[in-house]
Amino acid sequence: MAVRVAERVPKPDVPNPLVRRAEAEILTAALDSLGERSGHIIELVGEPGAGKTRLLAALGAEAAERGVTVLSGRCSELERRMPLHAFAAVLDGIDADGVVARLAAEGEALSDYDRLQAYRTVRTLIGQRCGAGMLLLLDDFHWADQYSIGLMDYLTRWPVDAPLLTVVAHRTPQASARLRGALAHGMELGTVDRVELGELSLAQSAELLGRAVDDERLLELHTRGNGNPLYLLALANAASLRDKGAGVPCAAGIPSHFAARMVGELATLTAVEQTIIDAAAVLGEFDLDTLATVADLDKGEVYSSVAPLIRRDLLRPVGRSPLFTWRHPVLRGLCYINTDPRWRVAAHRRAQAVLAASGASAAEQAPHVEFSLSGPDPHALQVLTRAAEDAMQAGDPVAAVYWFQVALGALPGARSVEARRVALFRLLGRVFEGLSWHQDVRHVLDAALRMVIHEPADIRTAALTWCALTTSLRGGREHAEALLDAELAAGDGAALRIGRGIIGLLDGKLPKPEELEAALRLAREQDDQLAESGVRALTAFAAAVGARPGDAVASSATLLNRLTDRELAINPEYLVIHAWAELLTGRLTDAVDNFRRGLAIVRDSGHEFLESALLCGLSVGLRHGGHLADARVDAVRARESALRHHAQGLVGLALAIESEAAAWLDARDRMQAITLGEQAFTALRAASAGCSASAAVPFATALRLNGELSRATDLLLSNGGGHDLDRLPLGLRPRCYELLTAAALEAGDPVAATEWARRASTAAETLALPDARGHAYLAQAHLARHDGRLAAAVTLFRSAAGEFTAAGMPIHHAWVLVLAAPHVAETGLTDEAATMLRMAAELAGPCGAQWLGEMAERLLAGLADRVEPRTPPSGFADLTVREREVASLAKTGKSTREIAAALSLSPRTVDVHLTRIYRKLNIRSRAALANLLVHD
């Protein structure tokens, strides 16, 4: 039999494999039974892009190869008012007499009876032309005219009595109720079968895109494409999958043939409908009142125009809520990028305003702020920052980093470099502060680099150094070094070199002299006074740690004191390391002043992550100065700040410093101090060896005060680097050697004690600092006492007390006096012993170490019967009231500057008073004054 094959067989519009094999097999099986089942109809339904056309094309090609007549056509929205057009166009090739065309032309004039006769005529025509078999493919039948739908209804009830297979493809949401009802009735009659195209499986998506199932990008494509072949192919061919902001799906880069197919449905929209679609693209999900506001249209217009858009399946209701959304995010993205840019910006502003008025979250407002941002804007900055902080609290640092990055656009512009830099640092601070302890900082560093890449050079360098330092404090030293090394490779700079050196310090690595010289030379070549001060500060710290201070600390102080707080706000870390250098070299008053200055600077400049390092130093300085309660408070603040910024090493150091302050303050609850120290070393497990070594010193003191000298020894030796204590700055070693001397004697090992005392003396000689000499004398006093050389021990105790007085360390002075007094009394010098104990009590009280004062009082009570009454020293009555005030403060170990501050005098005036006091009392030093003025 001659078979006529129609030429209009649908072709796939994109080259892609047929992955819906199960559905294809159902269609092929129906084709196989063509001669056994007359007038069979298959309803093929699925979302736009689900693959209906692809299946029709494959089926048509298979039928054509078998010699089956294939007739196919696709309906269009523009033909919905053309009677019987869906069939007239398809049957044109077999209707030589033009029967169907005439019926179509008369369609609207036909009565119901005549229309029924027309349907019968078409049915007969099809049956006559089927021959050995015919395949009728009708695509996009949801756009069919009512007469064509009526004919389909007729054919489901009166199937063609011939080998005919009809496949009707349509989108259910857009199909009319009559079409859906007719096909559903046909299913009940057994003349219609239904094939639904759901989402592709992950394996099918992999096959479609030619990717491995475990490909990470495949999973993202599959998820974003909702398993829809068209969206999958479009996204796979897009330039990027990154969303346009956090609120609008990315559609940029989708090939034009995909984009044209998806947005082609918008061609016939009215002007009002197009405006509504544009507003919907801005909003994403919305209620109708908000849609009307953003579209800037009358609510009535919007209410009446949304229904057709829903019928077209462009928009869909969200469940039973009053909200509406898009059929698919990619379609929204395509519509969004095709809106007028100026109108879009205004629409975003209207959207943000209506959301703010309704109390929407910052996260909901942020996308609209982003896309309407045109420059510095304090209100926009507030919304974006709040959105980022909310994202951090929700455990989404990636979103938070994105919003902080967008917030850069709302920062003050280049005309206010200082304000922009501070705001940038604060944004960066919120990013890092929001990360959890164990989150990898690499992606945050990458985001930070994107944030500052287009900033002016000075801001960029300062920001990169900021990122490197805070990353290093979090334990990401290697990442921090890599960040600065990469920047140094791109272009040299003194500030970058200094930052690299400071990061090394955090790991216990001192910069080499030649590195410091090169950085200093570069700073001078660039005429950068701030960088030069940074090099000097780094040099001073390295010299202090390595016991080569010379004039390095003084030189650093000279440069830093010339800089204003505003200038130091760019790199306040320079002041931090300088203050620590002062602390390590016994310049307690200057160190405390600079720690306080640094705290004010970092809080105003966005460098809050440095706060814990400053507070740790301030706490140590205050403890040395005898302000134990304040020292503990600052140690607690340091710990809290370190916790906020996830600086685990500083958390441990702060806990250890607090441990010592607590031990000095309260003897009745020493176990609390020990618990703090144990917590410190739990926190320090993942920190650098340098942090652990530094933290071991204060915790060892707490253990000693609790009577655990053996444990203190183990702690110092295991964390300090063995017997040489080479992990510790030399300035801390005399203190440790003195403790180790006392511990060795308690353990019955005088040989070891002698060696520790020798090391203490050697270190003190190198350092030439009062506190170092004080500890060395104390170590030698322990040895002399143990050997029974009481006179020598007393002399050494006196020397130690004098050195601690000179160092301005009243609590250590009091401690030595309490240790010395019993041995002084043994030599028969009970009056001197009593004097020592009275002075110890007077020193300990103001320091807050009440237990030490009480110990002195108890020892003094034991000497009461052996002590002769004392009279005020000769010349005391000649002192003026002001001189007595100065003398009273001086005997407690306070410095000239501290006395001046307490009495509202100048330091020079205090020195004048002290000279007169010395002359009237016939003494030459503060130590002599302290020994003399036990009675006020």
Side-chain angles (χ1 to χ4, degrees):
M1 173 183 287
V3 178
R4 182 178 178 190
V5 182
E7 296 179 356
R8 294 190 302 277
V9 177
K11 305 293 183 184
D13 59 355
V14 291
N16 61 81
L18 182 64
V19 296
R20 293 191 181 275
R21 279 185 284 277
E23 294 88 347
E25 288 174 2
I26 294 173
L27 296 176
T28 301
L31 186 63
D32 292 340
S33 61
L34 191 60
E36 304 170 7
R37 188 172 180 182
S38 300
H40 184 199
I41 298 173
I42 294 181
E43 178 189 14
L44 184 63
V45 297
E47 294 273 333
K52 301 182 296 295
T53 301
R54 180 74 179 85
L55 283 170
L56 293 179
L59 182 63
E62 173 68 19
E65 287 184 9
R66 297 185 185 188
V68 174
T69 301
V70 180
L71 304 177
S72 67
R74 171 181 285 178
C75 299
S76 166
E77 180 183 10
L78 299 175
E79 301 161 351
R80 296 191 74 172
R81 298 186 180 279
M82 299 172 65
L84 274 180
H85 186 78
F87 281 94
V90 173
L91 299 177
D92 180 61
I94 61 170
D95 184 15
D97 298 329
V99 174
V100 180
R102 286 196 301 274
L103 291 173
E106 300 172 359
E108 293 186 359
L110 294 175
S111 66
D112 290 344
Y113 175 79
D114 290 337
R115 189 160 48 251
L116 186 61
Q117 293 301 316
Y119 292 161
R120 183 179 295 115
T121 300
V122 175
R123 173 180 176 273
T124 301
L125 172 66
I126 294 172
Q128 292 172 347
R129 300 292 190 271
C130 277
M134 178 183 289
L135 175 63
L136 183 58
L137 303 175
L138 301 172
D139 201 0
D140 286 346
F141 206 71
H142 50 276
W143 292 127
D145 61 277
Q146 292 301 310
Y147 297 94
S148 294
I149 293 173
L151 175 56
M152 181 60 64
D153 181 20
Y154 182 82
L155 294 177
T156 62
R157 292 181 287 108
W158 303 97
V160 174
D161 188 15
L164 171 69
L165 173 61
T166 302
V167 182
V168 183
H170 69 86
R171 307 173 189 172
T172 301
Q174 292 174 261
S176 66
R178 184 180 182 188
L179 174 61
R180 297 196 304 272
L183 294 171
H185 187 223
M187 290 177 65
E188 294 176 357
L189 295 174
T191 58
V192 177
D193 289 327
R194 181 181 177 95
V195 176
E196 294 189 39
L197 305 184
E199 294 182 7
L200 296 182
S201 67
L202 186 62
Q204 288 175 313
S205 295
E207 182 181 358
L208 177 69
L209 301 179
R211 293 177 177 270
V213 176
D214 58 356
D215 186 325
E216 289 185 9
R217 191 166 189 267
L218 170 70
L219 182 59
E220 185 179 7
L221 288 165
H222 179 78
T223 302
R224 289 186 176 229
N226 293 344
N228 183 295
L230 177 62
Y231 298 136
L232 278 167
L233 289 165
L235 289 170
N237 285 278
S240 169
L241 287 184
R242 188 174 66 83
D243 281 353
K244 185 177 178 59
V248 180
C250 179
I254 291 180
S256 58
H257 59 283
F258 288 113
R261 178 172 171 184
M262 282 184 268
V263 300
E265 303 171 54
L266 309 179
T268 59
L269 297 182
T270 66
V272 170
E273 289 172 343
Q274 185 62 59
T275 301
I276 292 173
I277 281 295
D278 291 344
V282 166
L283 288 167
E285 187 172 281
F286 48 86
D287 61 74
L288 294 183
D289 288 349
T290 300
L291 182 65
T293 300
V294 174
D296 200 20
L297 293 173
D298 178 74
K299 290 183 180 179
E301 278 187 298
V302 172
Y303 292 166
S304 62
S305 299
V306 163
L309 298 174
I310 295 173
R311 284 196 297 270
R312 292 170 181 271
D313 198 29
L314 295 171
L315 305 177
R316 292 177 177 177
V318 179
R320 296 184 177 181
S321 74
L323 301 178
F324 297 84
T325 190
W326 284 80
R327 180 175 80 214
H328 192 277
V330 171
L331 180 60
R332 177 197 172 193
L334 286 168
C335 291
Y336 181 88
I337 63 176
N338 283 298
T339 58
D340 177 76
R342 287 178 297 179
W343 184 93
R344 191 167 61 217
V345 168
H348 277 298
R349 288 184 180 141
R350 291 191 291 270
Q352 192 272 328
V354 72
L355 287 171
S358 67
S361 68
E364 293 174 282
Q365 298 179 51
H368 302 293
V369 172
E370 174 187 7
F371 297 125
S372 59
L373 193 61
S374 58
D377 185 335
H379 175 68
L381 180 61
Q382 182 181 19
V383 173
L384 293 167
T385 302
R386 195 165 63 246
E389 291 170 343
D390 291 347
M392 280 295 187
Q393 291 180 1
D396 188 356
V398 174
V401 167
Y402 179 83
W403 288 128
F404 280 128
Q405 187 174 349
V406 174
L408 284 176
L411 292 181
R415 293 182 180 178
S416 181
V417 173
E418 179 185 357
R420 183 172 180 82
R421 183 184 63 246
V422 171
L424 171 60
F425 289 164
R426 286 182 173 155
L427 290 183
L428 288 169
R430 290 190 176 100
V431 172
F432 281 86
E433 187 176 325
L435 293 174
S436 69
W437 276 107
H438 304 294
Q439 279 178 312
D440 193 340
V441 299
R442 282 176 295 185
H443 71 282
V444 179
L445 280 177
D446 290 341
L449 286 173
R450 291 195 298 272
M451 288 172 70
V452 303
I453 195 169
H454 297 301
E455 294 292 326
D458 55 344
I459 292 182
R460 174 182 168 81
T461 298
L464 290 175
T465 305
W466 188 105
C467 289
L469 286 172
T470 194
T471 300
S472 187
L473 288 173
R474 281 182 58 99
R477 179 181 54 81
E478 293 180 357
H479 298 317
E481 290 176 344
L483 174 64
L484 291 183
D485 287 345
E487 193 67 14
L488 280 166
D492 206 352
L496 293 171
R497 290 193 178 200
I498 299 166
R500 189 68 169 79
I502 294 174
I503 289 171
L505 292 181
L506 297 175
D507 197 40
K509 298 177 182 177
L510 296 180
K512 298 176 181 178
E514 57 269 25
E515 293 173 339
L516 292 169
E517 291 172 7
L520 181 59
R521 184 169 56 254
L522 187 59
R524 287 174 173 172
E525 289 173 357
Q526 296 172 344
D527 193 24
D528 190 338
Q529 293 185 357
L530 178 60
E532 184 175 352
S533 72
V535 177
R536 292 294 190 187
L538 188 57
T539 303
F541 187 90
V545 171
R548 297 177 280 102
D551 62 353
V553 178
S555 297
S556 174
T558 300
L559 282 177
L560 286 167
N561 289 338
R562 290 175 185 168
L563 297 174
T564 65
D565 290 359
R566 186 173 180 177
E567 290 169 321
L568 276 171
I570 300 173
N571 293 104
E573 62 271 17
Y574 301 165
L575 187 60
V576 177
I577 57 174
H578 170 77
W580 273 96
E582 290 179 321
L583 189 63
L584 291 172
T585 53
R587 295 167 170 83
L588 297 183
T589 302
D590 291 337
V592 167
D593 288 346
N594 279 319
F595 282 128
R596 286 176 170 151
R597 182 188 182 192
L599 285 169
I601 292 173
V602 301
R603 289 165 183 164
D604 291 338
S605 66
H607 289 79
E608 287 88 348
F609 72 95
L610 294 172
E611 184 182 50
S612 54
L614 288 161
L615 286 168
C616 281
L618 180 59
S619 177
V620 173
L622 291 174
R623 188 192 70 230
H624 283 331
H627 307 283
L628 296 177
D630 290 342
R632 183 170 188 184
V633 168
D634 284 332
V636 172
R637 291 166 61 203
R639 169 165 52 90
E640 292 171 347
S641 178
L643 282 168
R644 283 196 305 275
H645 296 94
H646 310 308
Q648 197 162 3
L650 287 173
V651 169
L653 181 59
L655 281 166
I657 292 170
E658 183 187 355
S659 170
E660 181 176 359
W664 280 114
L665 273 168
D666 192 353
R668 292 167 296 183
D669 194 13
R670 286 261 168 77
M671 287 312 300
Q672 182 188 18
I674 303 306
T675 299
L676 288 169
E678 291 168 346
Q679 291 174 349
F681 277 83
T682 298
L684 287 167
R685 284 174 184 167
S688 68
C691 285
S692 298
S694 299
V697 179
F699 183 31
T701 302
L703 290 168
R704 176 192 195 164
L705 293 174
N706 197 46
E708 299 183 63
L709 276 169
S710 176
R711 188 177 170 193
T713 297
D714 293 340
L715 180 72
L716 286 175
L717 295 180
S718 61
N719 291 280
H723 286 69
D724 292 332
L725 299 182
D726 53 11
R727 289 181 188 163
L728 289 173
L730 188 60
L732 296 179
R733 293 180 202 173
R735 174 183 176 185
C736 298
Y737 289 141
E738 181 271 318
L739 185 154
L740 292 167
T741 301
L745 290 172
E746 183 181 84
D749 189 351
V751 175
T754 301
E755 174 60 20
W756 291 129
R758 184 193 67 77
R759 289 178 183 241
S761 297
T762 301
E765 185 177 351
T766 302
L767 289 162
L769 296 173
D771 66 309
R773 288 193 296 265
H775 286 295
Y777 284 137
L778 189 53
Q780 293 294 339
H782 295 323
L783 275 179
R785 175 188 55 78
H786 177 270
D787 294 340
R789 296 180 286 114
L790 290 183
V794 168
T795 299
L796 289 165
F797 276 128
R798 287 173 183 150
S799 296
E803 294 293 350
F804 286 131
T805 299
M809 299 168 66
I811 191 64
H812 290 79
H813 185 188
W815 170 249
V816 170
L817 293 175
V818 170
L819 291 177
H823 307 299
V824 173
E826 280 188 65
T827 64
L829 301 174
T830 51
D831 284 352
E832 183 180 347
T835 297
M836 286 181 168
L837 291 170
R838 290 190 187 97
M839 182 178 292
E842 290 191 12
L843 290 170
C847 291
Q850 301 298 334
W851 65 274
L852 187 57
E854 292 167 1
M855 180 185 292
E857 295 289 354
R858 287 195 300 272
L859 291 172
L860 182 60
L863 295 176
D865 295 337
R866 301 159 57 187
V867 177
E868 295 181 5
R870 294 286 304 273
T871 58
S874 175
F876 186 76
D878 296 333
L879 299 182
T880 65
V881 173
R882 177 62 81 185
E883 287 169 349
R884 291 189 184 198
E885 291 175 342
V886 171
S888 178
L889 291 172
K891 75 178 182 181
T892 65
K894 291 187 180 298
S895 67
T896 296
R897 190 178 297 180
E898 289 173 325
I899 296 171
L903 298 179
S904 300
L905 300 173
S906 70
R908 181 173 179 79
T909 301
V910 171
D911 286 335
V912 170
H913 283 307
L914 285 171
T915 300
R916 291 172 180 170
I917 291 167
Y918 295 161
R919 185 175 64 250
K920 290 179 181 180
L921 297 180
N922 195 27
I923 57 176
R924 295 184 178 181
S925 68
R926 292 196 189 199
L929 177 65
N931 283 323
L932 191 62
L933 296 184
V934 176
H935 296 292
D936 213 355

